[in-house]
Every structure is written in structure tokens, then in C-alpha cells.
Amino acid sequence: MIQGHLPRLIHSGNKLPMGFVMWFVAAFMYLTTNHFPLSEPQLLGMTWVDQNVPFLPRSVWIYTSEYLYFGLAYACIRSSENLSRYFFSFLSLQAASILIFMFWPTTYPRELYPLPESLDSLTHAVFSSLRTTDTPASCCPSLHVSSITLSALVFWDERRKLFPWFAVWGAAINLSTLTTKQHYLVDVLAGLAMAGFFYWLFHRKFQVAPQASR
């Protein structure tokens, strides 16, 4: 066991504002490096999977369901210990990924996959907005995949009956990173590895400080 305790930072009284803090910090870090890389982002090689997974523009709805996913996952966590572990593991995952994006920025050739003219106007608008807000940089590891996977894993520690539901939904979101042509296969695999590491580190190796007696 790693020595020391994580602070029991979140409880029922501050759960909502701490959730906003967590998402704001994560979004700020990501968008900063995504739009202002320190060097020119590099293309990665396309694997057989990357070349053969079809471009399915309407799967952007699954991709963008990430935001609902995070909100529901956070709301469903009840234990202050699990919430505190999740807070530290989630932000540490973001910080580690941001460092990679800063010093090894990668990009995806989205220009190879223009949105079809036959696409309905609402889906076209959502997809176009996504591509404007989230540039093709910051590919590897996929923070979409790592954050979703970590958020599913926390239900292995409590309310385990919810785990299959979040795992299946999360798997669909992870797959959509390929069908929307937002990420390479290696980005997905690296994201899964990052999620596993930070879950193991904060949810298995650290202890959370005991709850203060009243």
C-alpha cells in the first residue's frame, strides 16, 4: 500500500460544486492544449482497423452522449470515499494526458472524411460544432476513451449493478471515436491503458482519510 491518504474531499454537502470544479478544470486543460499546442501536431500511421472501420457521421450522437454519461455517472456515485477517489483519479488522468499532448501532440486527418451533403441538418450542425470546438489535435491517448472508461470502473467499487450499464454505454462511446473518425485505434488502446492505470493507482493503492467524527 502506498503510504499516506487522499483527502476525503467530497461529501453530500459539496458534491455538486466540486463536480463543476472537476469538469471545468478538465475542460480548461484539454481545450488549452487542444487549441494551442507547443509544436506542430504529427499524424500517426493508419492501421488496418483505422482504414476499414466505416465513417458513420450519425454516430456523433453516441460520441457526444459523453456529456450526459459523465453527469449521470457522477450523480450515481454515493460514497464520499469513492467520490474523492474519482475526483483525484479523474483530474490526475487529465493532467497526465495534457502533458503528453503538450510535448507529443498528434493529429488526425479529418479532411479525408468530409461530412456528406445528404446528412440531416441537425446532425451536420452538431458534427460541425464538434469539429470546430475540438480540433483534430490531442489524439493520443484518447481522453474521450480514458475518461469514459475510468467513470465506468468506479461502479466496480459501489453500486456494482450499475457497472454493466455504464460499461456497455461506455463501450459504444469508445467505439464511436473510431466511427466518427476522431481517433486512431492506438489512441483508443492508449486511453484504455491510461484509465486502467489511474483506476488501479487511486482506487486500489491509495487510502482515503477517515471521515471526521462529529
Side-chain angles (χ1 to χ4, degrees):
M1 180 68 68
I2 295 176
Q3 297 298 314
H5 293 86
L6 296 172
R8 190 177 291 266
L9 201 61
I10 305 178
H11 50 76
S12 59
N14 69 357
K15 181 178 179 180
L16 184 60
M18 290 302 291
F20 280 118
V21 168
M22 182 167 64
W23 306 129
F24 176 81
V25 171
F28 178 80
M29 289 194 299
Y30 175 76
L31 290 173
T32 299
T33 55
N34 181 251
H35 286 268
F36 305 102
L38 295 180
S39 58
E40 187 69 23
Q42 302 298 308
L43 291 168
L44 299 178
M46 289 277 198
T47 67
W48 181 90
V49 172
D50 297 311
Q51 294 172 348
N52 287 276
V53 169
F55 178 41
L56 304 175
R58 288 181 177 84
S59 63
V60 73
W61 293 106
I62 301 175
Y63 185 89
T64 54
S65 73
E66 170 193 44
Y67 308 110
L68 176 61
Y69 185 101
F70 287 138
L72 285 177
Y74 187 77
C76 287
I77 303 172
R78 292 175 177 171
S79 162
S80 64
E81 177 178 334
N82 203 20
L83 281 166
S84 297
R85 290 182 186 277
Y86 182 51
F87 181 90
F88 287 108
S89 60
F90 189 88
L91 288 184
S92 296
L93 169 64
Q94 309 301 308
S97 300
I98 293 307
L99 284 174
I100 295 173
F101 299 155
M102 286 177 60
F103 295 105
W104 185 54
T106 51
T107 190
Y108 194 92
R110 290 181 186 169
E111 66 278 4
L112 299 179
Y113 304 96
L115 298 180
E117 294 182 3
S118 59
L119 195 62
D120 65 276
S121 59
L122 182 57
T123 303
H124 192 285
V126 169
F127 213 141
S128 297
S129 177
L130 170 66
R131 285 185 166 181
T132 301
T133 304
D134 185 9
T135 78
S138 307
C139 277
C140 188
S142 168
L143 259 179
H144 215 84
V145 169
S146 59
S147 301
I148 285 291
T149 304
L150 177 65
S151 300
L153 288 173
V154 298
F155 291 102
W156 196 250
D157 298 335
E158 66 159 302
R159 309 193 71 185
R160 193 168 291 185
K161 289 183 179 179
L162 293 178
F163 175 75
W165 299 98
F166 280 101
V168 170
W169 185 4
I173 295 174
N174 291 346
L175 178 60
S176 76
T177 65
L178 299 177
T179 59
T180 54
K181 299 302 179 180
Q182 292 286 108
H183 283 285
Y184 303 93
L185 175 62
V186 68
D187 305 342
V188 174
L189 298 178
L192 292 172
M194 293 281 284
F197 173 76
F198 282 98
Y199 173 78
W200 168 82
L201 181 61
F202 285 93
H203 293 258
R204 290 293 178 266
K205 303 304 289 184
F206 278 106
Q207 294 180 340
V208 175
Q211 193 162 4
S213 58
R214 297 183 179 180

